[in-house]
Amino acid sequence: MAQGPRRTIQQVVCVVALAVAVTAFLSVAAVRHGFFDLKVYYGALTWWVHDGGEIYDFLKPGTQYGFTYPPFAALVMLPMAYLPWAAAIAVSVAASVLVTAVLFWWLIDPISRRCGWTRWFVLAVALCLAAAYEPMRETVNFGQVNMLLLFLVAIDLLRLLPAGNRWAGVGIGLATAIKLTPGIFIVYLLVTGRWRAAVTSMATAAGVTLLAAALFPDASREFWTEALWNTGRVGELAFVSNQSLRGVVARLNPEHPSTLAWLALVLATLALWAWRSRAAVAVGDEATGLALTGAVMCLVSPVTWVHHLVWLLPALILLVDNGMAAPAGSRRRRVLLGAAVVGYGLLISRIVWAWEKDFIGLDGFLGSNTYVWISLALLAFLPIRRPGDGGRIGRRWAAPAGSAVEAPGVPQLDQPDRRSPAGQRHRIGRPLTVR
């Protein structure tokens, strides 16, 4: 048998074996939520469309949970009210799987090309591993929209913005109008000096929000004046699933969590994020900017349920990317790949749930906030790729000379529009030789 077909057969066998192993793991480790959140959306939309009620008045029977997203999200989800329940489940799962596959292709394909790996095989392995990832399996089991929002943001940061496309910012604006937390990416664009994309994202968010207000004035009035401020609709802050800085503070004193301590932590975290994001964009590393902002969003949001941590996926993939870009056998490669394995291992383990009932004491403080510590570590230590590291998605854009994101002491990408008097390009720090 030829080497090519033999290799393909071996790879197919490996993928099938991994899929079987992941399925067995999920049968033991995965918690079945019965598409709880999707039932909330479906019930609220049915109540609104078919029963004549106001969408924000709906509560899932026996719970305090209702529709918490802005009116534009209701407009986007409106077709669900006309689908059978089984079809709504199928659409939710299929959409999450599809956008995950595309996002992974954007992030992983450069690694495959650089390392000479079979591209379809690497993608298949990554998708199997993603199925075991607790935030991903929670997203699917709850029927959440997290991956769809991440995909909208990634379209802007990994495809449109690096290419200089004038529509860059639309995806972030739509994601923000569907769920407010992705609005941190508008701040990211502002902090890193991409004014046009920032204005586009703000205009998009405002435009579709006004559209929803025109179509559904009563629902919009209720959301912006009442439902948005009713924090009791989202759940208990001290609950161990809340893996944000607010959750950390709440678990220290569930009865009287310190708002001042939380705000101080948020400000310090945002300062670190702004510094690192500017450094990433200064060298054109847009993928790391996406990863850093996803991590900080999880940290500073008042509520970050475990399923929201799919926003850490780009950072984990970039750890592997940076590790494989390091010299073979080097300490850097071992550290980065080891960090990726440890982080992924913890994030499939459900370790925080060991302290679901009792998070008192040092072990409770450390263990119940494990995912928070991972988010902080990724924010602080995820490498920023300098020019010449190669193979990275989202590297075509670089800050123009004199812009707000040109960080002192940080080398810039080679740019066709930066030429020497002799018309030759050169890298900063490398002598220019005119021949």
Side-chain angles (χ1 to χ4, degrees):
M1 185 181 291
Q3 181 65 27
R6 182 183 298 115
R7 182 184 185 190
T8 299
I9 291 173
Q10 291 172 344
Q11 290 172 335
V12 170
V13 171
C14 286
V15 170
V16 171
L18 180 58
V20 170
V22 169
T23 301
F25 172 77
L26 293 177
S27 69
V28 176
V31 176
R32 302 292 185 267
H33 299 291
F35 299 97
F36 183 94
D37 290 355
L38 189 64
K39 284 181 180 177
V40 173
Y41 310 151
Y42 190 82
L45 289 165
T46 300
W47 164 264
W48 188 36
V49 173
H50 300 296
D51 299 333
E54 284 295 339
I55 190 169
Y56 296 107
D57 292 339
F58 173 84
L59 293 178
K60 188 177 183 297
T63 76
Q64 79 274 30
Y65 296 105
F67 194 85
T68 59
Y69 295 165
F72 179 67
L75 176 61
V76 172
M77 296 181 187
L78 195 59
M80 189 190 306
Y82 300 95
L83 294 177
W85 171 239
I89 294 175
V91 170
S92 172
V93 174
S96 290
V97 171
L98 177 61
V99 298
T100 300
V102 175
L103 175 63
F104 275 26
W105 181 260
W106 291 343
L107 290 170
I108 293 173
D109 194 52
I111 314 176
S112 303
R113 288 175 177 273
R114 188 175 62 244
C115 297
W117 296 338
T118 305
R119 296 155 69 192
W120 72 263
F121 174 68
V122 176
L123 177 63
V125 168
L127 290 173
C128 287
L129 296 177
Y133 183 69
E134 184 180 359
M136 177 65 77
R137 65 188 192 236
E138 294 277 286
T139 286
V140 173
N141 283 331
F142 273 115
Q144 264 284 344
V145 298
N146 304 309
M147 287 307 303
L148 302 176
L149 300 178
L150 174 52
F151 180 68
L152 284 173
V153 171
I155 290 174
D156 277 345
L157 298 189
L158 300 184
R159 313 306 288 183
L160 300 183
L161 196 60
N165 191 293
R166 64 193 180 94
W167 294 103
V170 169
I172 291 172
L174 292 174
T176 302
I178 292 171
K179 188 175 182 178
L180 299 179
T181 47
I184 187 70
F185 285 92
I186 298 178
V187 183
Y188 166 72
L189 294 174
L190 293 171
V191 164
T192 54
R194 271 73 64 80
W195 310 113
R196 177 171 179 168
V199 170
T200 299
S201 62
M202 288 187 285
T204 300
V208 296
T209 298
L210 290 174
L211 172 64
L215 294 174
F216 317 123
D218 293 337
S220 295
R221 186 183 310 108
E222 184 171 357
F223 176 79
W224 295 108
T225 61
E226 295 183 27
L228 176 62
W229 315 105
N230 185 0
T231 57
R233 295 165 63 93
V234 299
E236 175 59 44
L237 292 176
F239 183 41
V240 75
S241 183
N242 185 12
Q243 291 293 303
S244 68
L245 293 172
R246 185 65 159 161
V248 173
V249 172
R251 282 185 285 277
L252 288 174
N253 186 352
E255 297 298 325
H256 303 286
S258 172
T259 300
L260 183 61
W262 171 58
L263 291 176
L265 289 172
V266 165
L267 289 175
T269 303
L270 288 173
L272 173 63
W273 161 74
W275 171 62
R276 299 215 71 218
S277 294
R278 287 165 60 87
V281 170
V283 296
D285 193 354
E286 206 68 73
T288 297
L290 165 65
L292 295 173
T293 307
V296 83
M297 184 182 73
C298 294
L299 288 166
V300 304
S301 174
V303 175
T304 298
W305 302 134
V306 167
H307 57 78
H308 294 147
L309 296 175
V310 295
W311 290 91
L312 299 185
L313 280 170
L316 292 174
I317 293 172
L318 292 180
L319 275 181
V320 176
D321 189 351
N322 283 281
M324 294 308 301
S330 66
R331 181 175 180 272
R332 177 180 175 82
R333 174 174 283 198
R334 291 194 301 272
V335 168
L336 292 175
L337 294 182
V341 170
V342 170
Y344 173 80
L346 290 172
L347 282 162
I348 71 172
S349 68
R350 286 184 54 84
I351 187 172
V352 298
W353 298 98
W355 290 272
E356 180 181 4
K357 303 297 184 184
D358 181 9
F359 37 75
I360 304 302
L362 180 61
D363 68 312
F365 174 72
L366 296 175
S368 69
N369 300 308
T370 299
Y371 300 164
V372 178
W373 311 142
I374 293 173
S375 299
L376 283 169
L378 290 170
L379 177 63
F381 301 113
L382 182 66
I384 293 171
R385 294 280 283 279
R386 265 61 181 184
D389 291 338
R392 172 65 60 81
I393 273 288
R395 295 188 58 83
R396 297 178 195 168
W397 185 92
S403 74
V405 298
E406 191 171 6
V410 179
Q412 304 296 300
L413 281 176
D414 287 344
Q415 299 171 59
D417 59 335
R418 289 190 181 185
R419 299 185 181 272
S420 68
Q424 295 182 340
R425 287 178 286 163
H426 63 286
R427 184 174 300 165
I428 290 179
R430 178 179 296 173
L432 172 66
T433 302
V434 180
R435 295 178 181 176

